[in-house]
Amino acid sequence: MKAFVYFSNATQPLSDVDLKTLARQARTKNSVAGVTSYLFFWDNGVFLHYFEGPDEKVEDLMKRLANDNRHQIEFQLSQPNFTSRRFPDDSLAFHVGGTQKGIFRLEEVVKQQLEYCRDGIGRVERWSEKIWLNLDKIANITFAQPSEY
Ligand SMILES: Cc1cc2nc3c(=O)[nH]c(=O)nc-3n(C[C@H](O)[C@H](O)[C@H](O)COP(=O)(O)O)c2cc1C
């Protein structure tokens, strides 16, 4: 199995209906592929997306995501030799958040750490260790919280 995480910028404004459609289609496809996933969307149009599953299925999804013109992927990271799913029950857990100052979310931290990797601020290996640990925490925090979309 393999896990991927990336952050991306939406290339166009996305309405509630757009997000609902995206979530519905993604859940259907992920269920068939045996992919489990976590998607976070900030109201300024940024996505943080994590997914896990059989190597060829997650690689195929990464290719589809890279070709999807609704967003532009800024940085991606993969965790090879990964064995235990973080979101075993979710074809797509989908949470949203604002960008107000003072509201602390771990998703923000992961996005920042991905930016450090992208910009070469410190070693990728060191940041990636922290990123996977933060994703463990996000999985624990969001466990049993209903998806917003
Ligand atoms: C932010 C974002 C997240 C997405 N997440 C998924 C996903 O988890 N699973 C999925 O199958 N498609 C997801 N999609 C849609 C894919 O990019 C792609 O459009 C879809 O899988 C259909 O691909 P196809 O037309 O090549 O079959 C997502 C798209 C966006 C913009």
Side-chain angles (χ1 to χ4, degrees):
M1 283 209 295
K2 211 175 207 178
F4 263 107
V5 65
Y6 69 85
F7 75 101
S8 65
N9 290 315
T11 49
Q12 60 209 60
L14 294 164
S15 68
D16 251 38
V17 174
D18 294 333
L19 293 172
K20 277 190 187 124
T21 307
L22 188 159
R24 195 180 58 243
Q25 289 172 347
R27 284 195 184 107
T28 307
K29 285 193 174 254
N30 290 353
S31 301
V32 174
V35 168
T36 45
S37 178
Y38 178 82
L39 181 63
F40 190 83
F41 181 67
W42 282 274
D43 56 8
N44 61 350
V46 177
F47 287 106
L48 179 73
H49 189 192
Y50 167 83
F51 51 96
E52 58 195 12
D55 289 12
E56 68 282 14
K57 301 291 182 190
V58 294
E59 277 156 20
D60 170 64
L61 176 54
M62 198 63 233
K63 279 187 204 134
R64 278 186 279 132
L65 288 160
N67 289 326
D68 192 324
N69 59 16
R70 287 173 289 184
H71 69 167
Q72 173 72 47
I73 295 178
E74 297 297 325
F75 190 78
Q76 73 192 57
L77 200 64
S78 81
Q79 185 179 22
N81 309 319
F82 139 94
T83 50
S84 174
R85 287 181 194 258
R86 295 184 172 87
F87 296 89
D89 304 323
D90 288 299
S91 56
L92 188 83
F94 195 161
H95 293 271
V96 291
T99 48
Q100 305 98 308
K101 278 209 165 70
I103 297 186
F104 176 81
R105 294 210 55 139
L106 265 175
E107 288 84 352
E108 210 93 48
V109 176
V110 172
K111 183 185 163 241
Q112 180 82 74
Q113 291 171 333
L114 286 167
E115 282 176 0
Y116 289 153
C117 290
R118 179 195 60 187
D119 300 340
I121 300 170
R123 285 172 46 236
V124 170
E125 294 75 26
R126 199 166 150 265
W127 288 123
S128 57
E129 236 171 75
K130 293 182 193 296
I131 287 167
W132 304 120
L133 285 174
N134 280 329
L135 282 160
D136 290 341
K137 289 184 195 161
I138 291 172
N140 287 330
I141 292 167
T142 55
F143 177 69
Q145 280 184 31
S147 278
E148 269 130 310
Y149 285 97

